[in-house]
Amino acid sequence: MTSHGVFSARPAPQPMAAREPADWSVRPRYALTDIPSLLWRERWLMGATFLAVAALGVGVALTLKPTYQAHSSVLVSLGQEYVYEPRAGDAARGAVPDSDHMLASEAEILNSDALHADVVRRIGVARLAPAEAHAYAVASPEQRELMIAKLADGVGRALKVDTAPANPVIRLTYQSADPQLAALVLNDLLDDYLIFRRTVLMPSAAGALDDQRRAFEQRLAAADAAYQTFLTGNQIGDFDADKTALSQLSAQVEQQQYANDASLREKSGRLATIDAELAGLAPEIGLYHDSDPTASAKLAALKVQREDLLSRYKPDAQPVQEIDAQIAQLQTAIDAGRTAANGPERTGLNPVYQTFETEKLQLDAEVAALKATGAEFADQMAKLTDRRLRLAQLEPQNDSLSLDRDVLQTNIKDFAAKADESEASQAMAQSDSDNIRIVERASAPTSGRSLRSAVAALALMFAGFTALCAGLVRMFLRPGLPTPASAARTLDLPVLGSAPLKQPA
């Protein structure tokens, strides 16, 4: 009997002797027709699971914020930066790329991380990511650059650059949770793009001025090589610096030599004085003698004994009075000096003699060191004097080579300045970027996109699927035979009737 009280009314058609006993340990057998009724039995579990998962999913959907997309477009036409100008000859002069290549180049510039980083610096971290403003303010320069790189990467992910074949227009889209910020980022991106693209597509060219400057640079390289050969051959690092350093070093060595001689004379005089003092001192002297503490120790013992008697007798008792008399007699003898006696005497090394002896040894070592130092200073002065005389002989040749280098360097600076002026003039002529036109600047979008509905729908679908899975799992895990049809299939017996299981009282 199961929960439905299954009863068999008659035996199976085959003979009883030939029939095997039913295997009650096998799992119940189900049919598709059993599933609806069995799931209905699990409706409370399925309902609770559906409500819990659906509430969680809808709660997540409600937290999603809408995003706003700002749009802009740029018209790209052929400009001077795309016309090939060779530095020498006329080969391929005037060659231009096709429009698709130009659009691809401009799109790549718009997607450049360097451009996005410039946008982040221009707008500021506090405006782009207010939550990171404090961390950026207290961060180190390396950490700030890392934060800017991360924000620039976020700008790149939020930016969409669209081009189409044979269409000279580039469409830009930027999405953000703040509509005003979306328009601000896109407009600043366009402004920085107009400046940034010139540094990429318009390299500096100074023509003949650069050629002339390079010719002077070659001559300067030859003059530098000759001057370096002169310095290397004479073991000179920098002539003027070496000359100045030798003069300063000679003065320092000479000053140190004078100080060393003075110190040597002073320590030699002290050494002679100490030798004279040592001649009149004895190496050993009497140090001290000990006194005899017998009487004081006896007096202290009597006082201890009296305190012991007071613990047993009154102060006027005979034993206490006798020991008081002994204490008074001994104290009188000590005060009168009758018990004083000399202890053992000791002799030892004379500390004054030892001090003079130690100082004498130190002065001997210092005098020897000062004499060695004086000899070293004399050797150094001789070498420095020889080196200074050698530099004086090489100075005319050094001045001639240095004058040639200075003249060439001055000419190079003049031509470099002229080349810079030429490049500035070219940059001013090209600063308008008339081949790039902003067709539409970004404005703050009034409506945004939200994924709330889609996420909520997916959450409800997932909640239904989860509830169904929970019902199926609970259905298959229930013990017993849930339906008469399942009992008949499982036991291989016909079911003649069933009744609900009576709950115990």
Side-chain angles (χ1 to χ4, degrees), residues 95-116:
V96 296
D98 56 29
S99 60
D100 290 342
H101 289 168
M102 286 193 302
L103 289 176
S105 300
E106 300 294 338
E108 188 65 23
I109 294 175
L110 287 168
N111 286 318
S112 171
D113 291 339
L115 176 61
H116 300 164

Side-chain angles (χ1 to χ4, degrees), residues 323-382:
I323 201 168
D324 285 340
Q326 294 179 15
I327 292 173
Q329 180 64 28
L330 184 58
Q331 184 67 50
T332 302
I334 292 173
D335 294 338
R338 295 194 301 272
T339 61
N342 292 332
E345 295 184 359
R346 295 185 182 181
T347 61
L349 297 176
N350 187 351
V352 177
Y353 183 90
Q354 291 295 317
T355 301
F356 278 111
E357 186 70 19
T358 302
E359 189 172 358
K360 178 180 181 301
L361 295 175
Q362 293 177 351
L363 287 174
D364 285 336
E366 291 176 1
V367 167
L370 289 172
K371 290 180 179 179
T373 304
E376 180 65 24
F377 282 149
D379 183 63
Q380 290 181 6
M381 281 298 299

Side-chain angles (χ1 to χ4, degrees), residues 372-415:
T373 304
E376 180 65 24
F377 282 149
D379 183 63
Q380 290 181 6
M381 281 298 299
K383 293 180 180 179
L384 290 173
T385 302
D386 293 340
R387 183 63 175 170
R388 293 177 66 183
L389 292 175
R390 176 62 177 166
L391 290 182
Q393 294 175 358
L394 297 174
E395 189 170 7
Q397 185 179 359
N398 175 77
D399 293 342
S400 176
L401 294 173
S402 298
L403 181 60
D404 293 340
R405 294 173 66 249
D406 293 339
V407 171
L408 291 172
Q409 288 175 352
T410 302
N411 291 336
I412 290 173
K413 290 179 181 179
D414 293 339
F415 279 98

Side-chain angles (χ1 to χ4, degrees), residues 123-298:
I123 297 178
V125 176
R127 183 68 177 90
L128 281 174
E132 301 181 11
H134 178 71
Y136 181 82
V138 300
S140 63
E142 294 79 8
Q143 293 174 338
R144 289 187 176 185
E145 288 300 322
L146 180 59
M147 296 175 67
I148 290 175
K150 291 181 179 179
L151 291 176
D153 185 64
V155 171
R157 290 195 300 270
L159 177 66
K160 184 179 180 182
V161 181
D162 293 324
T163 60
N167 187 353
V169 176
I170 299 177
R171 293 179 174 83
L172 307 174
T173 303
Y174 186 83
Q175 65 178 8
S176 174
D178 185 353
Q180 295 181 350
L181 180 61
L184 175 63
V185 171
L186 195 52
N187 286 328
D188 284 348
L189 177 70
L190 290 175
D191 294 336
D192 287 345
Y193 155 72
L194 294 177
I195 300 173
F196 182 75
R197 65 181 298 276
R198 298 178 199 135
T199 63
V200 177
L201 299 175
M202 296 181 178
S204 176
L209 294 175
D210 284 336
D211 295 337
Q212 190 63 37
R213 179 172 55 84
R214 282 191 289 270
F216 277 111
E217 287 176 349
Q218 293 176 358
R219 292 176 57 186
L220 177 61
D224 285 337
Y227 187 66
Q228 290 299 325
T229 301
F230 162 76
L231 295 178
T232 303
N234 293 281
Q235 297 180 350
I236 300 173
D238 185 313
F239 191 92
D240 295 332
D242 286 359
K243 183 179 178 181
T244 303
L246 284 173
S247 299
Q248 295 176 352
L249 188 58
S250 298
Q252 293 175 1
V253 171
E254 187 175 9
Q255 183 179 2
Q256 292 174 358
Q257 188 175 20
Y258 289 150
N260 184 81
D261 293 340
S263 179
L264 178 60
R265 288 191 295 270
E266 185 247 334
K267 292 187 183 299
S268 297
R270 288 179 58 191
L271 182 60
T273 303
I274 290 176
D275 287 334
E277 293 291 336
L278 282 174
L281 294 175
E284 294 183 352
I285 60 173
L287 297 179
Y288 62 89
H289 64 272
D290 295 330
S291 60
D292 188 7
T294 303
S296 299
K298 182 65 179 295

